[in-house]
Amino acid sequence: MKRLVIFASGSGSNAENIIRYFEKAVDVEVSLILTNNPKAKVLERAKNLGIASICFNRQAFSGSSIVLDLLNTLDPDLIVLAGFLWKVPAAMVESFSNKIINIHPALLPKFGGKGMYGIHVHEAVVAHKESESGITIHYVNEHYDEGSIIFQAKCVVLSTDSATDVAKKIQKLEMTHFPKVIEDLLTS
């Protein structure tokens, strides 16, 4: 049985999509949802989907080994950052080398780094008059959005597109590709 742990900070739409994708799989389970936000909608989604969830604070995540110890106990095959906004501590990256992946709503290396998440990314894409954008799924290292790229998918950005228009296109790419890339990583 392959075990996934998902980290999310917000609504949890990607987390729910991943859970639903694997809910009938006999060889993959989502073991736990972890969040740093006690008001995150992902907690409600986890409850509705019957997935255990834990909320933690910054001290538990990066000021001590509490979250790392939990992960070591669970021994997940893959840790998925699905809209998780905190930088992963070096000790966690080292303990789970090439087992932590993230999805970024742009074609890295463009529009990555600290503060580049959600609508901020799409606003930057529109402001720079990019003709395309997309998603990047990458391994997590000790720097924001700099780990090795696993997969990218592109979409056209029209000159008339708003940041909200781009966000809708990106979400479609995320929903289509993220679970499949996870599945490929688990079976390779």
Side-chain angles (χ1 to χ4, degrees), residues 167-186:
K168 288 176 186 173
K169 293 177 183 185
I170 297 302
Q171 187 174 35
K172 284 181 185 175
L173 292 175
E174 291 174 346
M175 295 299 151
T176 300
H177 296 288
F178 203 14
K180 292 175 184 172
V181 170
I182 292 167
E183 184 176 44
D184 289 347
L185 289 171
L186 289 173

Side-chain angles (χ1 to χ4, degrees), residues 2 4 13 24 29 34 60 95 97 112 124 162 165 180 183:
K2 301 284 186 169
L4 292 177
S13 58
K24 290 186 173 76
E29 74 170 9
L34 290 161
S95 292
S97 179
S162 68
D165 295 329
K180 292 175 184 172
E183 184 176 44

Side-chain angles (χ1 to χ4, degrees), residues 143-155:
H143 305 287
Y144 282 112
D145 302 325
E146 291 184 15
S148 298
I149 293 172
I150 300 164
F151 175 85
Q152 290 185 313
K154 297 176 182 179
C155 64

